[in-house]
Amino acid sequence: MIRTTRENDKVKDVSSLNAKYYDTKNKIVASIGKYYTYSCIFFSIMIITFLTYFIASKGLSTFLKDGVSLFDFLLGTEWKPEHENTPKFGAFAFIFGSFAVTLLSVSLSTPLSVGAAIFMAEISPKSGSRFLQPVIELLVGIPSVVYGFIGLSVIVPFMRNTFGGTGFCLASGTLVLTIMILPTITSVSYDSLKALPGGLKDASYALGATRWQTIYRVLIPTALPSILTGVVLGMARAFGEALAVQMVIGNVQRLPNSIFDSISTLTSILTLEMSNTIAGTTYNNALWSMALILLLMSFIFIFIIRILGKGSKLNER
Amino acid sequence: MNVKVTDKIATIIFYTIAIVITLILVGLLSFILVKGLSGISWGFLTKPPENMKAGGGVGPQIFNSFFLLFLTMLFTVPVGIGGGIYMAEYSKPNIVTNIARLVIEVLSSLPSIVVGLFGLLIFVQKMGMGFSLFSGALALMIFNLPLMVRITEQSLRAVPVEQKEASLAMGISHWKTIVSIMLPIALPGIITGTILTAGRAFGEAAALMFTAGMSSPPLDFTNWNPLSANSPINPFRPAATLAVHIWKVNSEGLTPDAKQIAASASAVLITCVLFFNLLSRLVGKLIYKKFTAA
């Protein structure tokens, strides 16, 4: 009897020791794990901090160190960075090009995208999810250089034959971007239409409204903030797209007279000239200033999306 | 106009839009495949490109693309999953979480060329890695990180809360619950998302032009010493990927068959991306079956 009790005690002792051992071990592993996830997020925050700091310090040195006036840079139309005596750093033509191609493509793409979203959500959910959804997903997957290549071999010759000129023009860039941002706007709009409470639609139908009346009097107005979020996301993508646009717009460095004129955008200039310049020169810094504009624009887009998100009634759920 | 007629017209317009979009995709894909597939041969897939004369291939570029993808995922997946776990499980409603959320949003909407330029400044110039696969992988990591974080967060949030609570109620620590209970359930979502992310990285070019470079040294596929300059697995050598090569051929290609090379390389790229897309669906379905059939 006595012996067994002792043995039992011993067993208990060992197991409690074990438990304690595993307990501390688990606690250590758990806290290591926890702090690992913290450090991952901290890492992301550091990336964006560094990125902003370095691009800003490079981009601002054009104005602070090299003495180019901000006014001349933003509104000057002469870009002669390598002129011997009086180099000119007017980037207005590129800024204009970026905005023109973005706004045109968004205004073309939005009706198509919202239409596609309504088709998937309201008109024919069955063929929508079977055909159109995969189509949209595949469109997202096509790499931008492939869009550029197709633009180069289909849209540019088409423009050349139909409207004359070289075919490398603002309109070609617009068409390529229209297709590229279509999936972004469509999927965000579709999600927002899907998230609407079903009662809204039923109430409208019960009042005798037709499907079209329900869509444009009830569903679209209610989902508008989220649809606009999709549009802004599309704009952000169009504004920052580099290669696909660069390949079809002709890269002529002046203001266009019509949409069939060649243009340059901020991204196309960066693509073509960044590797030809020497770090530290005013020319190089001016290019970094353009990168800073791209960065600031993407901050502004996020800011707009945040405001839209606050205005959305859907978020109050 | 009669409201019913308007309704009919609207319906027709919506159908037209759907059909037009589908036709655009079909047109794009068939254009690339018809134009490109005729130029694809074993030689094209394995030979190095030529500078001046016709008949070059894209062998090294295909290898570079896959190797770079591997390196990128090696960096992205651990950090992305860690970040996702934080966002889904450890984040408290405080200012740090708000900042983190904003950072993820900003990162995901950064133009890829800005990421590339940042990579040029930091990895290539300041850290002295030069144009290399390593710099390219780090740049692509910045590009893919927000997506990976979001995918992990969403998959973890989709785990039934009862399962998490059951585990916690048995006295299992929060971390152990995440690792042994929640992550396995969230795995299908995470894997599907990871493959989609990989497809995106595979086609990226603007971020790589300034980081991984636009040329490749002549590669010796019998040399597997990762430190020698012409070894394919040396991560510190410059490497043009397939997507960068397509851009380069289109804009400064001097060979007489530049157009055909661009078309064929695009066909290869599209096929790979479609394959990733298909794979993610298949894997997602398979794992889903495995986890729900039990």
Side-chain angles (χ1 to χ4, degrees), chain B residues 1-235:
Chain B
M1 211 188 323
N2 189 331
V3 279
K4 283 202 172 145
V5 178
T6 324
D7 186 56
K8 282 257 158 63
I9 294 174
T11 308
I12 293 170
I13 291 177
F14 285 124
Y15 267 95
T16 321
I17 289 176
I19 292 168
V20 165
I21 292 176
T22 313
L23 285 181
I24 288 176
L25 177 84
V26 173
L28 288 178
L29 289 184
S30 48
F31 176 81
I32 288 289
L33 294 177
V34 167
K35 269 222 152 178
L37 286 180
S38 61
I40 293 180
S41 60
W42 181 243
F44 179 77
L45 293 177
T46 51
K47 269 196 294 191
E50 294 283 350
N51 282 331
M52 289 301 183
K53 54 181 205 267
V58 290
Q61 279 72 26
I62 295 178
F63 177 83
N64 288 342
S65 285
F66 279 104
F67 189 40
L68 183 66
L69 183 62
F70 169 73
L71 285 177
T72 305
M73 292 330 256
L74 209 63
F75 297 147
T76 313
V77 170
V79 183
I81 290 185
I85 292 177
Y86 172 86
M87 295 306 271
E89 290 298 315
Y90 290 117
S91 61
K92 299 182 191 82
N94 58 18
I95 186 156
V96 179
T97 307
N98 279 341
I99 292 176
R101 210 163 278 290
L102 183 65
V103 162
I104 301 296
E105 259 177 67
V106 170
L107 270 179
S108 66
S109 79
L110 278 185
S112 58
I113 190 164
V114 171
V115 175
L117 290 174
F118 175 67
L120 173 75
L121 191 63
I122 300 302
F123 308 135
V124 177
Q125 294 172 353
K126 285 234 155 81
M127 288 165 81
M129 286 191 257
F131 290 115
S132 65
L133 282 163
F134 209 78
S135 317
L138 287 175
L140 278 191
M141 174 185 144
I142 298 180
F143 185 68
N144 273 344
L145 193 59
L147 207 65
M148 199 67 221
V149 169
R150 203 171 289 170
I151 287 161
T152 312
E153 185 192 349
Q154 279 171 357
S155 312
L156 282 175
R157 282 193 194 280
V159 171
V161 74
E162 291 83 1
Q163 259 163 321
K164 179 184 164 189
E165 280 170 355
S167 167
L168 290 175
M170 296 183 83
I172 297 171
S173 72
H174 192 183
W175 175 252
K176 190 86 180 139
T177 305
I178 294 170
V179 173
S180 325
I181 310 289
M182 300 179 69
L183 271 184
I185 301 175
L187 204 61
I190 295 179
I191 292 184
T192 318
T194 308
I195 300 176
L196 278 180
T197 317
R200 203 170 86 122
F202 199 80
E204 178 53 40
L208 290 176
M209 290 167 48
F210 300 117
T211 50
M214 289 192 248
S215 60
S216 304
L219 296 182
D220 176 8
F221 278 89
T222 54
N223 181 356
W224 292 95
N225 173 10
L227 294 175
S228 100
N230 64 351
S231 161
I233 57 166
N234 176 4

Side-chain angles (χ1 to χ4, degrees), chain A residues 118 122-123 200-220, chain B residues 1-11 14:
Chain A
I118 292 171
E122 298 300 327
I123 307 287
L200 268 180
K201 202 167 58 178
D202 297 341
S204 171
Y205 284 145
L207 289 171
T210 62
R211 184 160 67 180
W212 169 240
Q213 285 172 328
T214 307
I215 289 170
Y216 96 107
R217 293 252 172 93
V218 179
L219 300 184
I220 293 184
Chain B
M1 211 188 323
N2 189 331
V3 279
K4 283 202 172 145
V5 178
T6 324
D7 186 56
K8 282 257 158 63
I9 294 174
T11 308
F14 285 124

Side-chain angles (χ1 to χ4, degrees), chain A residues 37-258:
Chain A
T37 68
Y38 278 48
S39 63
C40 289
I41 282 299
F42 182 70
F43 179 73
S44 314
I45 298 177
M46 286 317 283
I47 289 178
I48 208 75
T49 317
F50 272 120
L51 194 142
T52 314
Y53 170 75
F54 279 109
I55 292 185
S57 70
K58 275 270 190 184
L60 289 177
S61 62
T62 317
F63 315 113
L64 302 178
K65 214 178 86 212
D66 301 325
V68 177
S69 97
L70 180 66
F71 187 76
D72 284 347
F73 179 76
L74 291 178
L75 296 175
T77 49
E78 266 187 292
W79 176 254
K80 285 178 187 150
E82 287 179 307
H83 196 277
E84 271 177 41
N85 302 321
T86 50
K88 291 264 199 295
F89 298 97
F92 180 72
F94 316 135
I95 298 172
F96 176 82
S98 281
F99 275 100
V101 88
T102 303
L103 292 176
L104 284 175
S105 60
V106 164
S107 49
L108 267 184
S109 192
T110 303
L112 273 179
S113 315
V114 176
I118 292 171
F119 179 84
M120 290 196 290
E122 298 300 327
I123 307 287
S124 175
K126 219 183 222 170
S127 61
S129 66
R130 193 173 299 162
F131 297 108
L132 205 52
Q133 186 96 35
V135 164
I136 299 289
E137 279 168 23
L138 287 177
L139 279 176
V140 182
I142 297 179
S144 63
V145 278
V146 175
Y147 276 115
F149 171 68
I150 293 171
L152 198 63
S153 20
V154 180
I155 296 178
V156 168
F158 172 78
M159 286 289 168
R160 187 186 305 141
N161 298 334
T162 323
F163 301 103
T166 57
F168 290 96
C169 58
L170 176 55
S172 305
T174 303
L175 285 182
V176 169
L177 278 181
T178 302
I179 304 171
M180 284 185 78
I181 62 177
L182 195 139
T184 312
I185 308 181
T186 306
S187 53
V188 177
S189 310
Y190 174 69
D191 288 345
S192 66
L193 286 170
K194 268 282 171 198
L196 293 179
L200 268 180
K201 202 167 58 178
D202 297 341
S204 171
Y205 284 145
L207 289 171
T210 62
R211 184 160 67 180
W212 169 240
Q213 285 172 328
T214 307
I215 289 170
Y216 96 107
R217 293 252 172 93
V218 179
L219 300 184
I220 293 184
T222 322
L224 197 63
S226 314
I227 293 178
L228 286 179
T229 303
V231 173
V232 178
L233 278 173
M235 282 173 90
R237 190 170 179 204
F239 201 82
E241 177 52 48
L243 301 185
V245 176
Q246 182 269 327
M247 285 159 89
V248 297
I249 56 172
N251 307 304
V252 171
Q253 300 174 352
R254 57 176 155 72
L255 281 171
N257 293 322
S258 76

